[in-house]
Amino acid sequence: MSVGLPEVEPSPVPPPAGDSSLSQPPLTVIEPRSEWSAFDLRELWRYRELLAFLVWRDIKIRYKQTAIGAAWAILQPVAVMAALTFALGRVVGDPNAAVPYWLFVLGGLVPWTFFSSTVSLTSVSVINNQPMVTKVYFPRLLLPLSAAGLAAMDFLVGFALLLVAALAAGVSLGVSLAAIPLVLAVLLLVALGLGVFLAALTVRFRDFRLVVPLVLQFWMFVTPAIYDQSGRTVGPTTETILRANPVQALAVNFRAALLGTPFDWPGLAIAAALGLVLFFLGGRYFRRTERRFADII
């Protein structure tokens, strides 16, 4: 009868004497964040697949179990356009203009709706994802970015409607359309800078969930580029106030790119400068406070 002997695992072969990389574990260096950086772009790039998933998730949730789906992105600017045309068409409309008043209004409402939706959705993006924030680590900035992606999808639907409406009104679309991506980039810069800042504030002060929609409604009516076609001259004080509203110049230039009218380059430059300041300050505040989100959300 044979007696079984216990199996003996072979001892690991020692690495060669001159090869130090096999005898030591990989070295990981943890460094503090830069005090001047607003975002960690390398970290965001590593989580790009998660960002794409979050955008797709938000789109499905937004239109899940809806009868008309993405058509809601069309109904919002169309409904506001109809209300403004009916209420203000005879007051601030120009009967001698080459563009009908309803198209003038719609050309301003499409970029405004994109701006408003981006700010509104990003401001509540963190608190709307409380289970994720408290259970797992990922760059919290992905939440506002995914909300902006949802607003961008709605914009594409509204922009397609605007192009069809312009062609139906007899507008000749030209090479000026190539400037629309530039205007949208500045608009997104302004909206993200403000939205990221509000997202961090909303985690701490839930009142901003009610304050932001109210401010956006008021903001729309202090942006006359959306509805005032009369072309009345304003004084230097009023002009300075309008310049401080970046959406004013962006709505003007978006419509100019669509209709082929002259651009307001100084207004676009001022809006871009304000957007950069908002983007940097909003990102800095978000990064400084995101480490406490899981504790106070």
Side-chain angles (χ1 to χ4, degrees):
M1 183 176 65
S2 61
V3 179
L5 298 176
E7 295 182 358
V8 179
E9 295 183 1
S11 59
V13 178
D19 192 354
S20 59
S21 61
L22 299 178
S23 61
Q24 297 179 358
L27 180 63
T28 301
V29 179
I30 301 176
E31 298 178 347
R33 293 175 174 175
S34 172
E35 290 296 327
W36 293 102
S37 62
F39 306 111
D40 189 345
L41 298 180
R42 287 183 298 179
E43 184 180 42
L44 293 177
W45 176 251
R46 288 199 301 268
Y47 285 85
R48 61 190 182 276
E49 294 181 357
L50 177 59
L51 175 61
F53 171 79
L54 291 175
V55 173
W56 177 241
R57 181 207 62 174
D58 291 344
I59 293 174
K60 291 199 299 183
I61 291 176
R62 186 178 183 89
Y63 298 116
K64 185 178 181 180
Q65 297 181 341
T66 57
I68 60 176
W72 284 110
I74 297 177
L75 289 180
Q76 181 178 357
V78 168
V80 179
M81 178 268 293
L84 291 177
T85 302
F86 176 78
L88 301 176
R90 295 184 178 181
V91 179
V92 295
D94 184 4
N96 300 320
V99 178
Y101 182 69
W102 64 267
L103 181 59
F104 176 89
V105 174
L106 188 61
L109 281 175
V110 169
W112 165 259
T113 303
F114 175 50
F115 171 79
S116 176
S117 298
T118 302
V119 174
S120 178
L121 292 173
T122 54
S123 65
V124 295
S125 59
V126 177
I127 62 173
N128 284 349
N129 291 275
Q130 178 178 350
M132 291 183 60
V133 174
T134 56
K135 292 181 180 179
V136 64
Y137 172 77
F138 61 96
R140 308 311 191 206
L141 188 64
L142 294 182
L143 299 175
L145 291 178
S146 66
L150 175 59
M153 293 298 297
D154 288 346
F155 167 79
L156 292 177
V157 178
F159 183 63
L161 167 70
L162 181 59
L163 292 179
V164 173
L167 292 174
V171 176
S172 298
L173 303 178
V175 295
S176 60
L177 286 176
I180 286 183
L182 173 63
V183 178
L184 290 179
V186 179
L187 189 64
L188 182 61
L189 193 69
V190 175
L192 265 181
L194 184 59
V196 167
F197 177 68
L198 290 173
L201 281 179
T202 306
V203 172
R204 186 174 182 182
F205 305 103
R206 302 302 173 91
D207 307 82
F208 281 93
R209 290 183 297 178
L210 304 176
V211 172
V212 171
L214 181 63
V215 171
L216 288 174
Q217 290 181 9
F218 176 76
W219 196 337
M220 186 185 75
F221 288 102
V222 296
T223 307
I226 295 175
Y227 56 84
D228 190 354
Q229 194 185 19
S230 60
R232 292 168 293 186
T233 58
V234 296
T237 302
T238 305
E239 183 69 20
T240 302
I241 295 175
L242 291 179
R243 292 294 190 193
N245 177 6
V247 188
Q248 166 74 14
L250 294 172
V252 168
N253 285 287
F254 181 90
R255 190 189 295 112
L258 176 71
L259 305 178
T261 55
F263 277 75
D264 179 14
W265 293 111
L268 182 62
I270 293 174
L274 290 174
L276 287 173
V277 172
L278 285 173
F279 192 71
F280 176 78
L281 295 180
R284 285 281 297 118
Y285 182 76
F286 190 92
R287 289 199 69 184
R288 289 183 60 185
T289 57
E290 67 174 334
R291 68 189 66 180
R292 298 192 297 269
F293 284 172
D295 298 325
I296 62 179
I297 194 170

